[in-house]
Amino acid sequence: TDVESIELTQPDISKQNPELYAQYLQGLRDFKQSEHKITYVYFDNSEKNPSSRVHHIVDLPDSIDVISLSNPVDLADWELKDIATVRKDKGTKVIFTLDFDAIKLDYQKMVEDIENMKLEEGEERPEIPSFISVLVETVNNSLASVNKYNLDGISVAYKGKAVNHMTEDEKKLHITYENAFIKIAQDWQDRNKNKMIVFEGYPQNLLDKSILENCEFIVLPVTDAKDASRLSYNINIAAVEGVPQDKFIIATETTSLDPADLKTGYWADGTRALQNSAEWILAPRSGIDIKGIAIKNVNIDYYNPARAYMYTRNAINTINPSPKK
């Protein structure tokens, strides 16, 4: 009548036939070195006490090329083991995103908290640091994680703005912010030639587009696109002079776990944005080469009764169909 735990043996090809599995992994690594459409995913690794396999990157589909972690600092031992496994065995690159807008949002929240702080009698309000100082410190601290955890590189997320209608003061501040953020990334890349750098944002808004030459991919954040024509429009306005047109990756997203949310991850006609974007990538077009697909909120796609990450797998099979015999 006592409760007793038992060990269940799950079928595992790596143990049942190690030689065959080793051949599979070699074929997988060879595939990722070959010419193919890239699959790039954003993985939420904020959970440090995993309760299910959804928290493990080793359970992502094997054919994923790049995993961008949401939290690159304070990685747990089990995370480091997962990272080492997917990099060594599967040839997957693991990076993280430096997001200018996210840093600015955190700064504005800090300023608001300080300004609204209730002070005791005689207590002085903390001095508010400049945004530039916070930006530089945050970026440098994050960049230290690349070597600390032996990651493969970074993605620089910067949407920017068109400066045509800015006042001179607005333009001066905008230029200061962009230079501080982009120049740090460029300097880091110059000192780390063996590491990957990706640009994520609207490249047409960059005042200095020279960073794009060293970027492996340019990820366009077009998750708000609700049909194929909007995707084409976003590509066309991004393909300006100075922007390499053979590095574009289209960002899309998975659907929400909330059954009442019929907008997130859907196109206007009610079909899934992920599959539609994958099919759109294969459409012939002149002058512009779409390198692949970037999938936001990939963790959510784990929860599928038919198969974990089913829609992600379907998209991968769409952009990289298996050769028919």
Side-chain angles (χ1 to χ4, degrees):
T1 59
D2 292 337
V3 175
E4 180 181 356
S5 63
I6 60 174
E7 289 189 8
L8 297 177
T9 302
Q10 299 288 346
D12 186 344
I13 185 63
S14 65
K15 295 182 176 62
Q16 293 176 334
N17 194 328
E19 183 177 349
L20 182 62
Y21 186 62
Q23 293 175 8
Y24 163 75
L25 291 178
Q26 184 58 57
L28 183 65
R29 293 191 295 269
D30 291 343
F31 163 74
K32 292 183 181 182
Q33 293 296 319
S34 68
E35 186 68 26
H36 67 285
K37 296 295 184 184
I38 299 297
T39 304
Y40 182 115
V41 302
Y42 297 84
F43 189 86
D44 182 359
N45 69 312
S46 57
E47 179 57 61
K48 302 304 175 183
N49 296 296
S51 57
S52 77
R53 300 306 303 179
V54 69
H55 302 123
H56 290 267
I57 63 172
V58 291
D59 286 82
L60 286 166
D62 293 345
S63 295
I64 287 172
D65 297 275
V66 183
I67 301 170
S68 180
L69 302 177
S70 65
N71 182 11
V73 298
D74 299 325
L75 297 179
D77 289 342
W78 63 269
E79 289 183 284
L80 295 177
K81 183 178 179 181
D82 280 4
I83 291 171
T85 297
V86 298
R87 292 181 71 235
K88 178 178 180 293
D89 293 351
K90 302 178 183 180
T92 308
K93 295 186 183 298
V94 181
I95 65 174
F96 64 88
T97 300
L98 285 169
D99 190 330
F100 176 87
D101 288 339
I103 296 171
K104 191 173 184 180
L105 191 64
D106 287 343
Y107 174 78
Q108 291 170 342
K109 178 65 167 58
M110 179 192 69
V111 171
E112 184 180 330
D113 289 343
I114 292 176
E115 291 177 342
N116 295 331
M117 186 183 296
K118 293 182 179 180
L119 302 177
E120 301 292 336
E121 186 177 350
E123 184 182 3
E124 293 186 4
R125 193 175 304 277
E127 182 179 351
I128 298 176
S130 68
F131 174 64
I132 288 293
S133 64
V134 172
L135 176 68
V136 171
E137 181 181 9
T138 302
V139 171
N140 284 332
N141 288 342
S142 296
L143 288 174
S145 297
V146 179
N147 292 327
K148 180 179 179 180
Y149 299 122
N150 192 28
L151 302 178
D152 293 289
I154 61 170
S155 175
V156 181
Y158 181 76
K159 293 181 178 178
K161 297 178 181 178
V163 299
N164 300 0
H165 303 292
M166 290 184 181
T167 66
E168 286 303 315
D169 287 342
E170 289 173 337
K171 186 184 298 185
K172 183 178 179 180
L173 187 62
H174 177 76
I175 292 172
T176 300
Y177 287 169
E178 179 174 310
N179 284 342
F181 185 63
I182 298 298
K183 295 300 183 185
I184 293 175
Q186 283 184 302
D187 178 68
W188 175 87
Q189 206 278 330
D190 288 340
R191 292 181 286 106
N192 295 271
K193 297 291 188 182
N194 61 325
K195 298 293 185 179
M196 170 190 287
I197 185 168
V198 174
F199 178 81
E200 177 186 345
Y202 304 130
Q204 66 271 26
N205 288 339
L206 280 172
L207 300 174
D208 180 2
K209 298 177 176 58
S210 60
I211 189 175
L212 301 175
E213 292 299 324
N214 293 323
C215 289
E216 193 153 345
F217 310 117
I218 299 172
V219 181
L220 296 182
V222 290
T223 54
D224 59 340
K226 295 301 178 182
D227 54 46
S229 62
R230 191 65 185 179
L231 285 181
S232 298
Y233 171 78
N234 280 283
I235 280 288
N236 290 332
I237 64 172
V240 299
E241 184 178 355
V243 176
Q245 299 184 21
D246 58 350
K247 298 182 178 184
F248 289 126
I249 286 181
I250 296 298
T252 184
E253 61 186 341
T254 59
T255 57
S256 171
L257 291 176
D258 180 1
D261 183 356
L262 300 179
K263 293 185 177 181
T264 303
Y266 290 101
W267 275 11
D269 60 2
T271 56
R272 291 180 180 269
L274 176 53
Q275 184 61 32
N276 288 337
S277 297
E279 293 172 2
W280 177 87
I281 285 171
L282 297 182
R285 56 183 56 83
S286 60
I288 299 176
D289 181 21
I290 309 301
K291 297 293 289 186
I293 195 168
I295 306 171
K296 292 182 176 288
N297 305 320
V298 71
N299 305 62
I300 295 175
D301 193 34
Y302 175 87
Y303 300 102
N304 193 296
R307 189 183 186 190
Y309 298 111
M310 184 178 78
Y311 295 107
T312 299
R313 297 179 193 277
N314 289 345
I316 294 172
N317 290 335
T318 298
I319 62 176
N320 292 300
S322 300
K324 296 181 179 179
K325 297 182 179 180

